[in-house]
Amino acid sequence: MGLTGIQILGKLPKKNCKECGFPTCMAFAMKVAAGQAEIAACPYVDPTVVEEIAEATAPPIRTVKLGSGEFTYSLGGETCLFRHEKRFENPPLIGTFITTKMVDEEINRRLELYKQLKWDRVGITLQPDVIWIKGEGDPQRVGFLVERVRKELPYLPIILSGSKEEVEKGVSLCGEFKPLIYGINKETLEEFLPLGESFKVPLGIGASSLDELAELSDKALQRGFKDLVLDPGSQSVRELFEDLVIIRRSAIKKRYKPFGFPVITFPFRYTEDYLLESAIASILVAKYASIIILSDLKAESLFNLLVERMNIFTDPQKPLVVEEGIYPVNGPDEMSPVIITCNFALTYFIVNGEVEGSRVPTWLLIKNTDGLSVLTAWAAGKFGADSIAEFIKKCGIEGKVKHRKLSIPGLLASIKGELEEELPDWEIIVGPREATGLPAFLRKVSAEIKEAV
Ligand code: SF4
């Protein structure tokens, strides 16, 4: 059981000095209990108490970190079984593998895919974000591949497997950038534990049954080694699904420590059909993989998995928002129409899709409305004439176009007059009420702008 805020408060020095960033020790204790602050932020707590509280307030699925600095990736850290209970914390890393026996052409092709397969969605870059370098008896080549990946894809977390020499070579070349050492089983645990301890990198342990996995995990825990990633080694998709649910339930409901770790999965173990593999991966995104290794990277399924991942791992208590700013669509110039809408992601996707489909070069202005839709934002005072005018003046659109015609959503027709008063240099045009009307509307406005010049 975790500690309550009052229990944590009892262990604090109660100076109310604010050095932790909170106004009082009480406020700090409540945040620590809720998992929203680190106990180490109070410089006056004894290190043994810090460890005790950190352990008691740690999430039931331990957070394991790969990479370093700005490219640090967290796995696990989960606290619930279902997303609607709170939220899922750390999205699974998705990628594929290269091996020391692969020919150079195939390795080049795969690394090239990592560079090419990138999509921008609501200001977030979606891309494959992990690679497994599989040693098959050639430490020098493992070293070569690690150096290549670190140089060409410096953001990409690495999973290393192979003999002790191969792994040692690879880990030493990663330096500060923590890889995951994978492929450890009951025969090799004793051999690899010291490696994990000395390099301070997480270990991926696998077994042929959950009982064996619990035994191995427990053994590592007894040794004081806590950065583990589990591979249940399930024999079928059904077994894998059941194993992942058992692992998550045992960790969260029973606080069963040997299963309180992120899980690595390989959907290609269960099929040679890439479409089926993608379907299995899509289940694993929701329940409960922390790493998903695919047999290959194919845009048509990878994109869907990454979008699914983005949606599952958003906070259901916060609306999905798009960053405020000017979005050029279809290569606009100084004579292109200017339209404005709110930053609710769904509105953005619909409007952007219609504008793109119209093929009319357009400046799409997105105003921050805290994720509220057009009418709700207007009712909440976040999308009124005054705030739109303020945004138009400061966003920089006046330097990008020669004309002064601003189109507002049809639902905001009532603020036209007020907005014209706020923006006397601009002609305010009321757009369609539905986004489906945008293509015809934009063609008309575009023609009018050109005629007027
Ligand atoms: Fe209290 Fe420590 Fe925060 Fe100071 S730094 S207010 S003593 S919790």
Side-chain angles (χ1 to χ4, degrees):
M1 284 291 289
L3 296 176
T4 63
I6 298 297
Q7 286 169 318
I8 294 170
L9 181 65
K11 295 173 188 288
L12 295 176
K14 299 182 202 66
K15 288 169 176 262
N16 291 327
C17 64
K18 303 185 178 65
E19 287 181 43
C20 54
F22 292 89
T24 60
C25 294
M26 175 66 143
F28 178 65
M30 293 301 167
K31 288 288 178 188
V32 173
Q36 293 163 354
E38 299 273 344
I39 182 66
C42 172
Y44 302 107
V45 184
D46 187 85
T48 54
V49 178
V50 168
E51 203 169 316
E52 182 198 328
I53 294 178
E55 194 62 35
T57 54
I61 306 278
R62 189 175 170 81
T63 306
V64 172
K65 298 198 170 176
L66 301 184
S68 64
E70 61 174 314
F71 302 126
T72 301
Y73 300 82
S74 296
L75 307 173
E78 304 298 340
T79 57
C80 60
L81 284 177
F82 304 104
R83 177 180 177 267
H84 62 261
E85 290 174 344
K86 191 178 173 200
R87 64 176 173 266
F88 287 170
E89 299 290 337
N90 292 305
L93 303 179
I94 302 177
T96 188
F97 60 87
I98 52 176
T99 79
T100 52
K101 283 194 178 159
M102 259 179 195
V103 292
D104 285 343
E105 290 72 28
E106 180 59 9
I107 289 174
N108 293 344
R109 184 187 73 81
R110 288 180 177 239
L111 294 187
E112 205 46 44
L113 284 171
Y114 274 96
K115 292 171 199 166
Q116 285 170 7
L117 296 178
K118 284 185 188 171
W119 298 270
D120 183 70
R121 190 108 172 156
V122 260
I124 299 168
T125 304
L126 301 179
Q127 60 187 2
D129 43 19
V130 69
I131 190 165
W132 173 24
I133 300 177
K134 195 174 169 188
E136 293 177 313
D138 188 344
Q140 291 315 313
R141 192 148 167 84
V142 167
F144 167 74
L145 293 177
V146 167
E147 281 184 317
R148 217 183 133 183
V149 169
R150 290 293 301 123
K151 188 164 169 230
E152 293 178 30
L153 300 155
Y155 63 87
L156 197 62
I158 293 172
I159 301 169
L160 278 170
S161 71
S163 66
K164 191 169 173 224
E165 292 70 39
E166 288 176 309
V167 168
E168 212 157 13
K169 177 83 184 170
V171 177
S172 60
L173 288 169
C174 285
E176 292 289 298
F177 196 81
K178 275 190 193 177
L180 165 69
I181 301 178
Y182 167 70
I184 296 151
N185 54 34
K186 62 179 180 199
E187 277 83 33
T188 55
L189 183 65
E190 287 301 332
E191 186 184 9
F192 279 95
L193 262 179
L195 208 61
E197 284 162 348
S198 63
F199 283 103
K200 296 195 169 36
V201 294
L203 298 179
I205 55 172
S208 55
S209 69
L210 283 187
D211 286 345
E212 189 181 306
L213 189 63
E215 212 175 292
L216 283 184
S217 170
D218 197 38
K219 212 170 193 180
L221 283 171
Q222 304 276 338
R223 285 270 295 261
F225 193 86
K226 291 176 185 167
D227 280 342
L228 296 174
V229 173
L230 309 178
D231 172 8
S234 322
Q235 298 301 308
S236 65
V237 178
R238 181 187 172 145
E239 196 179 310
L240 175 66
F241 183 73
E242 287 172 353
D243 286 349
L244 295 191
V245 172
I246 291 170
I247 289 172
R248 175 67 69 96
R249 286 193 78 88
S250 311
I252 289 182
K253 293 285 178 198
K254 309 275 182 209
R255 289 262 167 180
Y256 183 57
K257 292 230 179 246
F259 283 166
F261 298 102
V263 177
I264 184 169
T265 59
F266 305 84
F268 63 84
R269 279 180 184 167
Y270 310 100
T271 177
E272 287 178 2
D273 177 340
Y274 195 77
L275 270 184
L276 191 51
E277 182 187 328
S278 307
I280 298 168
S282 74
I283 296 172
L284 298 174
V285 169
K287 274 183 185 296
Y288 290 113
S290 289
I291 301 176
I292 300 172
I293 300 294
L294 301 166
S295 60
D296 202 349
L297 298 177
K298 293 187 184 175
E300 64 274 23
S301 83
L302 183 66
F303 176 72
N304 294 320
L305 289 174
L306 294 172
V307 171
E308 180 198 353
R309 179 180 78 173
M310 185 181 80
N311 289 331
I312 297 276
F313 282 80
T314 50
D315 187 339
Q317 293 161 42
K318 289 187 196 155
L320 193 56
V321 299
V322 185
E323 216 171 295
E324 180 174 273
I326 303 173
Y327 290 72
V329 189
N330 302 329
D333 59 21
E334 55 195 12
M335 299 308 289
S336 301
V338 178
I339 65 172
I340 187 166
T341 192
C342 62
N343 78 333
F344 177 42
L346 191 57
T347 304
Y348 166 80
F349 280 130
I350 293 170
V351 169
N352 189 53
E354 291 294 340
V355 178
E356 265 180 10
S358 76
R359 297 176 188 269
V360 179
T362 301
W363 295 102
L364 171 58
L365 306 185
I366 297 294
K367 179 179 175 323
N368 181 11
T369 56
D370 290 338
L372 298 178
S373 60
V374 170
L375 268 188
T376 320
W378 170 75
K382 294 175 192 292
F383 208 28
D386 51 347
S387 63
I388 291 179
E390 195 187 329
F391 171 64
I392 294 294
K393 285 174 195 159
K394 72 166 191 215
C395 73
I397 189 63
E398 291 179 334
K400 290 188 185 293
V401 289
K402 275 193 178 160
H403 66 86
R404 290 291 181 264
K405 286 178 190 289
L406 171 65
S407 304
I408 58 173
L411 292 173
L412 291 190
S414 63
I415 68 164
K416 180 178 186 295
E418 204 184 330
L419 191 53
E420 279 170 344
E421 275 175 30
E422 296 276 352
L423 292 171
D425 296 339
W426 286 80
E427 177 189 344
I428 307 302
I429 305 170
V430 177
R433 288 173 69 89
E434 300 291 336
T436 47
L438 275 170
F441 172 78
L442 287 172
R443 278 191 284 275
K444 184 169 160 274
V445 173
S446 179
E448 282 172 4
I449 292 171
K450 281 172 192 144
E451 260 173 40
V453 174

